[in-house]
Each structure stands twice: as C-alpha cells, then as structure tokens.
Amino acid sequence: PALISGLTITVIALIGYSAIAGAIGGGGLGDLAIRYGYQRFETTMMLAILVLLVVLVAIVQLIGDFSARRLTRR
C-alpha cells in the first residue's frame, strides 16, 4: 500500500510539473492555458483547462486511494 500511495503522489506531481513545463514552453495543457487563456484573454479556455487538470488529479487520487485501501485489507 505504501508503494501505491507513493506512486499516486508521484503521478500527481508529474501532472503538475508537466503543466508548469507547458507554461514555459514545453507544450501540453500548460501551454494551452497560457497561449489561449492568458495571452488571448479567453478566460473560459483557461478555466476549462484548470477544471480539466483538477479533475485529472482527482481521478488519479481516487484510483490511488482505492488501490491502496484494497491492498491494505488483504
């Protein structure tokens, strides 16, 4: 269970780091948020990407927590 919890935290950190890397030119969701949301003043696009990132992190967290709990009970 500890390995699954550690993997979950690592994947969530990688999602955050990839968004940050996209914001400074690495491509991906961070790049979309900066180019379309911030530079073109399209707040709906920026909010949509923000919601997508939050949902993605929540899904990864739920799957990781569920898997860790399943392994703890066995």
Side-chain angles (χ1 to χ4, degrees):
L3 289 174
I4 298 296
S5 296
L7 179 67
T8 302
I9 292 170
T10 303
V11 170
I12 290 172
L14 286 174
I15 291 170
Y17 290 147
S18 68
I20 292 169
I24 60 170
L29 289 175
D31 185 42
L32 281 175
I34 292 294
R35 268 197 288 142
Y36 292 105
Y38 183 72
Q39 292 176 350
R40 294 184 184 181
F41 301 108
E42 295 180 18
T43 54
T44 56
M45 175 65 91
M46 191 165 47
L47 288 176
I49 293 171
L50 177 68
V51 168
L52 180 67
L53 283 170
V54 169
V55 167
L56 185 63
V57 167
I59 289 171
V60 169
Q61 185 71 47
L62 286 173
I63 291 172
D65 288 346
F66 177 75
S67 300
R69 266 189 262 126
R70 280 287 282 202
L71 289 174
T72 302
R73 292 181 182 166
R74 290 185 181 186

